[in-house]
Amino acid sequence: GDSVTQMEGPVTLSEEAFLTINCTYTATGYPSLFWYVQYPGEGLQLLLKATKADDKGSNKGFEATYRKETTSFHLEKGSVQVSDSAVYFCALSDNYGQNFVFGPGTRLSVLP
Amino acid sequence: DAGITQSPRHKVTETGTPVTLRCHQTENHRYMYWYRQDPGHGLRLIHYSYGVKDTDKGEVSDGYSVSRSKTEDFLLTLESATSSQTSVYFCAIGPGGGTEQFFGPGTRLTVL
Protein backbone atom coordinates (compact mmCIF):
# COMPACT_ATOMS: atom_id res chain seq x y z
CA GLY A 1 0.00 0.00 0.00
CA ASP A 2 0.89 3.66 -0.10
CA SER A 3 3.36 4.93 2.49
CA VAL A 4 5.31 8.02 3.52
CA THR A 5 8.73 8.01 5.16
CA GLN A 6 10.26 11.06 6.76
CA MET A 7 13.14 11.77 9.11
CA GLU A 8 11.71 11.58 12.60
CA GLY A 9 14.07 13.92 14.37
CA PRO A 10 14.00 15.74 16.62
CA VAL A 11 15.80 18.36 14.58
CA THR A 12 17.39 21.20 16.51
CA LEU A 13 18.63 24.30 14.68
CA SER A 14 19.78 27.77 15.55
CA GLU A 15 17.74 30.74 14.38
CA GLU A 16 18.48 31.71 10.75
CA ALA A 17 19.86 28.24 9.90
CA PHE A 18 18.85 26.39 6.73
CA LEU A 19 16.22 23.68 7.15
CA THR A 20 15.72 20.47 5.22
CA ILE A 21 13.27 17.76 6.28
CA ASN A 22 13.39 14.75 3.99
CA CYS A 23 10.24 13.00 2.81
CA THR A 24 9.95 10.06 0.42
CA TYR A 25 6.86 8.18 -0.61
CA THR A 26 5.64 4.95 -2.13
CA ALA A 27 2.42 5.09 -4.09
CA THR A 28 0.66 3.71 -7.11
CA GLY A 29 -0.48 6.22 -9.66
CA TYR A 30 0.12 9.92 -9.24
CA PRO A 31 -0.63 11.10 -5.73
CA SER A 32 -0.90 14.65 -4.47
CA LEU A 33 1.69 15.58 -1.83
CA PHE A 34 1.36 17.81 1.22
CA TRP A 35 3.24 19.24 4.16
CA TYR A 36 1.33 19.97 7.34
CA VAL A 37 2.54 21.75 10.48
CA GLN A 38 1.30 21.18 14.02
CA TYR A 39 2.01 23.69 16.78
CA PRO A 40 1.74 22.55 20.41
CA GLY A 41 -1.84 21.92 21.50
CA GLU A 42 -3.27 22.57 18.05
CA GLY A 43 -4.53 20.65 15.04
CA LEU A 44 -2.63 20.18 11.81
CA GLN A 45 -2.47 23.12 9.43
CA LEU A 46 -1.79 22.78 5.72
CA LEU A 47 1.59 24.36 4.97
CA LEU A 48 1.95 23.65 1.25
CA LYS A 49 0.99 21.19 -1.45
CA ALA A 50 1.88 19.92 -4.94
CA THR A 51 -0.41 17.97 -7.18
CA LYS A 52 1.84 16.81 -10.04
CA ALA A 53 5.46 16.09 -10.86
CA ASP A 54 7.84 19.08 -10.81
CA ASP A 55 5.27 21.29 -9.06
CA LYS A 56 6.76 23.45 -6.32
CA GLY A 57 4.62 24.27 -3.32
CA SER A 58 5.55 27.29 -1.23
CA ASN A 59 4.21 29.20 1.76
CA LYS A 60 5.65 31.35 4.58
CA GLY A 61 9.20 30.86 3.24
CA PHE A 62 8.88 27.07 3.09
CA GLU A 63 9.24 25.22 -0.21
CA ALA A 64 8.97 21.65 -1.47
CA THR A 65 9.25 20.23 -5.00
CA TYR A 66 7.40 17.11 -6.19
CA ARG A 67 10.14 14.84 -7.58
CA LYS A 68 8.63 11.83 -9.26
CA GLU A 69 11.95 10.35 -10.33
CA THR A 70 13.17 10.15 -6.73
CA THR A 71 9.67 9.86 -5.17
CA SER A 72 10.53 12.70 -2.83
CA PHE A 73 8.99 15.91 -1.47
CA HIS A 74 11.64 17.44 0.79
CA LEU A 75 10.71 20.51 2.85
CA GLU A 76 13.17 23.42 2.88
CA LYS A 77 13.41 26.88 4.39
CA GLY A 78 16.33 29.22 3.96
CA SER A 79 16.27 30.86 7.39
CA VAL A 80 14.26 29.38 10.26
CA GLN A 81 12.81 31.36 13.14
CA VAL A 82 12.00 30.38 16.71
CA SER A 83 8.32 30.56 15.75
CA ASP A 84 8.85 27.70 13.25
CA SER A 85 9.30 25.27 16.15
CA ALA A 86 6.61 22.64 15.59
CA VAL A 87 6.01 19.13 14.26
CA TYR A 88 5.98 18.78 10.47
CA PHE A 89 4.07 16.02 8.68
CA CYS A 90 4.52 14.88 5.10
CA ALA A 91 1.42 13.32 3.54
CA LEU A 92 0.04 11.99 0.29
CA SER A 93 -3.42 11.56 -1.12
CA ASP A 94 -4.54 9.38 -3.95
CA ASN A 95 -6.72 10.96 -6.59
CA TYR A 96 -9.90 9.55 -5.10
CA GLY A 97 -9.41 11.21 -1.72
CA GLN A 98 -10.15 8.05 0.21
CA ASN A 99 -6.56 7.22 1.03
CA PHE A 100 -4.68 9.97 2.86
CA VAL A 101 -1.39 8.72 4.30
CA PHE A 102 0.72 10.66 6.81
CA GLY A 103 4.36 10.29 7.70
CA PRO A 104 5.33 9.94 11.38
CA GLY A 105 6.13 13.63 11.79
CA THR A 106 9.40 15.49 12.42
CA ARG A 107 9.77 17.67 15.49
CA LEU A 108 11.72 20.87 14.84
CA SER A 109 13.13 23.01 17.61
CA VAL A 110 14.68 26.36 16.73
CA LEU A 111 16.88 27.96 19.36
CA PRO A 112 17.43 31.72 19.61
CA ASP B 1 -9.16 28.56 8.08
CA ALA B 2 -11.79 25.94 7.37
CA GLY B 3 -14.85 26.16 9.57
CA ILE B 4 -14.50 23.05 11.65
CA THR B 5 -15.14 22.62 15.36
CA GLN B 6 -14.89 19.70 17.73
CA SER B 7 -16.68 19.13 21.02
CA PRO B 8 -15.84 18.57 23.74
CA ARG B 9 -12.24 19.77 23.63
CA HIS B 10 -11.31 17.81 26.73
CA LYS B 11 -12.97 14.86 28.40
CA VAL B 12 -12.10 12.53 31.25
CA THR B 13 -14.17 9.39 31.59
CA GLU B 14 -14.05 5.98 33.20
CA THR B 15 -13.48 2.59 31.63
CA GLY B 16 -16.69 1.03 30.34
CA THR B 17 -18.64 4.25 29.82
CA PRO B 18 -19.90 5.34 26.40
CA VAL B 19 -18.40 8.48 24.89
CA THR B 20 -19.46 10.51 21.87
CA LEU B 21 -17.29 13.10 20.18
CA ARG B 22 -18.76 15.59 17.75
CA CYS B 23 -17.28 17.20 14.67
CA HIS B 24 -19.13 20.09 13.04
CA GLN B 25 -18.26 21.81 9.75
CA THR B 26 -19.60 24.87 8.00
CA GLU B 27 -17.74 24.28 4.71
CA ASN B 28 -20.14 21.77 3.13
CA HIS B 29 -17.29 19.38 2.32
CA ARG B 30 -18.24 15.90 1.22
CA TYR B 31 -15.58 13.99 3.15
CA MET B 32 -15.15 13.89 6.91
CA TYR B 33 -12.56 11.87 8.83
CA TRP B 34 -11.73 10.84 12.38
CA TYR B 35 -8.09 10.27 13.36
CA ARG B 36 -6.36 9.51 16.60
CA GLN B 37 -2.88 10.79 17.40
CA ASP B 38 -0.63 8.92 19.80
CA PRO B 39 3.09 9.26 20.57
CA GLY B 40 5.05 6.82 18.46
CA HIS B 41 2.11 6.08 16.17
CA GLY B 42 1.52 9.37 14.43
CA LEU B 43 -1.91 9.93 12.93
CA ARG B 44 -4.11 6.90 12.36
CA LEU B 45 -7.43 6.89 10.54
CA ILE B 46 -10.36 5.52 12.52
CA HIS B 47 -13.34 6.03 10.19
CA TYR B 48 -14.31 8.32 7.39
CA SER B 49 -17.47 9.45 5.64
CA TYR B 50 -18.00 10.26 1.98
CA GLY B 51 -21.57 11.51 2.32
CA VAL B 52 -24.63 11.49 4.54
CA LYS B 53 -25.07 7.97 5.93
CA ASP B 54 -22.02 6.79 3.90
CA THR B 55 -19.13 5.70 6.10
CA ASP B 56 -16.21 3.30 5.96
CA LYS B 57 -13.55 1.93 8.28
CA GLY B 58 -9.99 3.09 8.63
CA GLU B 59 -6.98 1.21 9.95
CA VAL B 60 -7.93 1.35 13.66
CA SER B 61 -11.73 1.09 13.68
CA ASP B 62 -12.18 -1.61 16.33
CA GLY B 63 -14.07 -0.26 19.35
CA TYR B 64 -15.37 2.79 17.46
CA SER B 65 -18.51 3.57 15.53
CA VAL B 66 -19.53 6.65 13.57
CA SER B 67 -22.64 8.29 12.24
CA ARG B 68 -23.35 11.08 9.80
CA SER B 69 -27.00 12.07 9.57
CA LYS B 70 -26.29 15.58 8.25
CA THR B 71 -23.59 16.93 5.96
CA GLU B 72 -22.21 19.15 8.69
CA ASP B 73 -21.96 16.67 11.58
CA PHE B 74 -19.85 13.55 12.04
CA LEU B 75 -20.06 11.73 15.36
CA LEU B 76 -17.51 9.31 16.77
CA THR B 77 -18.75 6.93 19.48
CA LEU B 78 -16.77 4.75 21.83
CA GLU B 79 -19.41 2.25 22.93
CA SER B 80 -17.45 1.16 26.01
CA ALA B 81 -14.31 3.20 26.53
CA THR B 82 -11.02 1.48 27.41
CA SER B 83 -7.74 2.92 28.64
CA SER B 84 -6.16 2.12 25.27
CA GLN B 85 -8.50 4.70 23.74
CA THR B 86 -6.88 7.50 25.72
CA SER B 87 -5.67 9.73 22.91
CA VAL B 88 -6.07 13.00 21.07
CA TYR B 89 -8.80 12.75 18.45
CA PHE B 90 -8.82 14.93 15.36
CA CYS B 91 -11.59 15.47 12.89
CA ALA B 92 -10.73 16.49 9.35
CA ILE B 93 -12.80 17.58 6.35
CA GLY B 94 -12.16 17.90 2.67
CA PRO B 95 -13.68 17.84 -0.81
CA GLY B 96 -11.90 14.59 -1.75
CA GLY B 97 -10.47 13.84 -5.16
CA GLY B 98 -6.85 14.08 -4.06
CA THR B 99 -7.20 17.49 -2.46
CA GLU B 100 -6.13 18.56 1.00
CA GLN B 101 -7.80 17.89 4.33
CA PHE B 102 -8.50 20.56 6.93
CA PHE B 103 -8.20 19.68 10.58
CA GLY B 104 -10.14 20.61 13.67
CA PRO B 105 -8.50 21.65 16.95
CA GLY B 106 -8.70 18.17 18.49
CA THR B 107 -10.30 16.52 21.52
CA ARG B 108 -8.11 15.21 24.31
CA LEU B 109 -9.79 12.12 25.79
CA THR B 110 -8.56 10.42 28.93
CA VAL B 111 -10.04 7.07 29.96
CA LEU B 112 -9.28 6.17 33.56
Side-chain angles (χ1 to χ4, degrees):
Chain A
D2 296 351
S3 66
V4 173
T5 302
Q6 62 178 110
M7 52 194 293
E8 295 199 27
V11 175
T12 303
L13 296 173
S14 297
E15 203 164 26
E16 299 183 2
F18 185 87
L19 169 71
T20 299
I21 300 178
N22 291 336
C23 171
T24 57
Y25 68 90
T26 301
T28 56
Y30 304 95
S32 296
L33 301 174
F34 309 88
W35 276 102
Y36 283 83
V37 59
Q38 184 179 31
Y39 299 103
E42 299 183 9
L44 279 69
Q45 300 176 22
L46 179 66
L47 182 59
L48 53 83
K49 66 178 182 180
T51 59
K52 60 183 187 297
D54 300 325
D55 268 2
K56 176 184 283 188
S58 60
N59 185 27
K60 299 180 181 179
F62 291 89
E63 293 183 340
T65 301
Y66 189 147
R67 301 287 189 198
K68 189 172 185 300
E69 63 276 13
T70 55
T71 61
S72 64
F73 193 55
H74 305 321
L75 182 68
E76 296 182 337
K77 187 176 185 183
S79 176
V80 294
Q81 306 300 311
V82 172
S83 56
D84 294 326
S85 298
V87 180
Y88 292 81
F89 293 89
C90 185
L92 68 80
S93 175
D94 64 25
N95 289 328
Y96 302 99
Q98 295 178 4
N99 187 24
F100 213 92
V101 178
F102 288 89
T106 300
R107 182 174 300 278
L108 170 66
S109 294
V110 180
L111 305 178
Chain B
D1 289 342
I4 176 170
T5 57
Q6 294 184 231
S7 59
R9 294 293 313 279
H10 301 272
K11 186 170 182 66
V12 179
T13 190
E14 294 189 350
T15 297
T17 60
V19 176
T20 295
L21 308 182
R22 179 181 185 237
C23 177
H24 179 78
Q25 65 153 326
T26 58
E27 303 297 317
N28 201 37
H29 282 316
R30 179 184 176 191
Y31 284 82
M32 299 185 76
Y33 308 81
W34 278 108
Y35 293 90
R36 60 179 290 174
Q37 185 177 37
D38 304 287
H41 292 278
L43 276 165
R44 293 181 291 175
L45 182 65
I46 304 172
H47 282 278
Y48 69 95
S49 169
Y50 47 97
V52 173
K53 299 192 190 308
D54 293 322
T55 65
D56 206 349
K57 297 178 179 180
E59 66 174 298
V60 290
S61 59
D62 287 348
Y64 302 94
S65 63
V66 291
S67 65
R68 190 172 179 196
S69 59
K70 298 185 292 185
T71 298
E72 57 265 35
D73 290 326
F74 193 33
L75 303 181
L76 176 71
T77 297
L78 291 65
E79 300 289 349
S80 177
T82 67
S83 59
S84 65
Q85 294 176 312
T86 292
S87 186
V88 180
Y89 291 86
F90 288 100
C91 178
I93 62 175
T99 57
E100 59 267 36
Q101 295 183 9
F102 303 98
F103 282 77
T107 294
R108 182 173 296 276
L109 175 67
T110 302
V111 183
L112 302 176

